[in-house]
Amino acid sequence: MRIANYDGRATLVTGEPGAEQGVDIATATDGRFRPEPTDTYQNWTEIVSWAASFDVSAATTFAIDRSKLGAPSPAPRQVFAIGLNYDEHAAESGFDSPENLPPVFTKYVSSFSGPDTTVVIPDGGAVDWEVELVAVIGREATDVSEDQAWDHVAGLTVGQDISERITQTRGPAPQFGLGKSFPGFSPQGPWLVTTDEVADRDDLELGCSIDGEEMQKGRTRDLIFPIAALVAELSRNVTLYPGDVIFTGTPAGIGAGREPKRFLQAGEHLDSWITGIGELHQTFVAATK
Ligand code: ZN
């Protein structure tokens, strides 16, 4: 099952890549489910069973206009982002790989957007890219085991943890939350994909390019803490709620890890992808003073 946030309404996605069609869930269920995507995650078990028996061939569908897609979970109660979760990325960042839970920080919800956007480079900013697999919680989780963890995940989507490195690393202690939460710095989408739709939920290829030049390419089998371990570890500390979003960390190839360092410039296009899920497209522009 693929579920999109289409113009603010929960939408079932059908059809082949490049020719996706949408079914408005509230309309198709005569109002049994509310249109807000937040409601979808609150009623995740019911949505899954409804979708399993829903006859798409008889449904009213419409062509998906990507410009109307928003983040699949646009108003989570909590957002978690994980640092240093791939060995090669930890090394390029100048850190040893974490043996215990990696650094956990947040990206504020005001930075969320859909998959295809224009992003303003903050004045003087050093804006970097981090393609990431994003997991959305579908069932509340408190102190769950790794074996149980996937049962609490609604599905997966593509995320970019766009990061302004000057703000992020400004002393006396790092400001990860602020440096990674300028407007539009958390594009996600194009939709949520349930794990039965992907070949291997623990081994997906992900990458990104700038103007067609490959910057990152990795596989989620190389996550030091895979999704089940992250959900279990986080749930030991906090309660995870339906709709909560977890950015799982980025593979090697960020701009700050290069010699010389490279950051996004006005006019550049950043394309990000995860095989079996979809793509994000960002265009960067200068701040107007
Ligand atoms: Zn990140």
Side-chain angles (χ1 to χ4, degrees):
M1 174 171 63
R2 291 172 290 172
I3 288 194
N5 165 12
Y6 192 77
D7 220 5
R9 296 178 68 93
T11 299
L12 193 65
V13 177
T14 70
E16 297 303 309
E20 286 88 359
Q21 300 277 311
V23 176
D24 185 87
I25 292 176
T27 305
T29 62
D30 291 327
R32 177 181 164 204
F33 298 113
R34 293 177 53 79
E36 296 82 8
T38 308
D39 192 67
T40 302
Y41 300 104
Q42 291 294 339
N43 296 290
W44 186 248
T45 300
E46 291 76 13
I47 289 274
V48 168
S49 83
W50 164 74
S53 61
F54 180 65
D55 181 7
V56 174
S57 65
T60 304
T61 63
F62 56 88
I64 296 263
D65 168 1
R66 285 182 60 105
S67 72
K68 292 187 175 174
L69 292 168
S73 180
R77 282 192 267 184
Q78 304 176 104
V79 182
F80 303 91
I82 309 298
L84 309 177
N85 205 11
Y86 291 82
D87 287 320
E88 289 178 18
H89 171 63
E92 75 178 347
S93 303
F95 292 96
D96 292 333
S97 293
E99 291 175 20
N100 301 309
L101 186 63
V104 180
F105 50 94
T106 196
K107 288 172 77 70
Y108 297 106
V109 177
S110 58
S111 66
F112 275 32
S113 78
D116 294 355
T117 57
T118 297
V119 180
V120 174
I121 297 172
D123 197 18
V127 175
D128 207 344
W129 53 89
E130 296 190 358
V131 64
E132 306 196 5
L133 177 64
V134 167
V136 178
I137 297 296
R139 297 183 183 95
E140 188 170 308
T142 305
D143 200 16
V144 299
S145 68
E146 284 191 37
D147 288 348
Q148 302 168 315
W150 274 111
D151 295 340
H152 296 265
V153 175
L156 306 170
T157 194
V158 187
Q160 254 292 345
D161 176 16
I162 301 174
S163 304
E164 198 286 289
R165 301 299 187 196
I166 298 169
T167 306
Q168 181 188 335
T169 55
R170 186 179 288 151
Q175 291 279 17
F176 274 55
L178 291 178
K180 291 166 173 277
S181 297
F182 285 93
F185 270 34
S186 305
Q188 292 156 71
W191 28 71
L192 183 94
V193 176
T194 52
T195 57
D196 56 299
E197 297 258 345
V198 296
D200 182 347
R201 66 191 183 185
D202 285 306
D203 184 18
L204 299 167
E205 188 176 77
L206 74 173
C208 70
S209 63
I210 297 175
D211 293 339
E213 182 187 351
E214 186 177 286
M215 292 291 134
Q216 295 185 283
K217 188 174 183 179
R219 301 197 70 94
T220 59
R221 68 176 177 223
D222 295 324
L223 282 164
I224 300 169
F225 278 70
I227 285 176
L230 289 175
V231 167
E233 284 284 342
L234 289 171
S235 81
R236 229 168 274 171
N237 196 149
V238 296
T239 296
L240 302 175
Y241 297 119
D244 279 1
V245 167
I246 305 172
F247 280 75
T248 60
T250 200
I254 62 167
R258 289 163 188 267
E259 190 57 53
K261 294 181 194 302
R262 174 172 177 174
F263 298 111
L264 285 155
Q265 305 298 315
E268 289 185 326
H269 300 279
L270 176 66
D271 299 320
S272 311
W273 49 270
I274 300 180
T275 302
I277 301 180
E279 299 179 358
L280 310 178
H281 304 288
Q282 272 57 58
T283 298
F284 289 80
V285 297
T288 49
K289 292 173 188 165

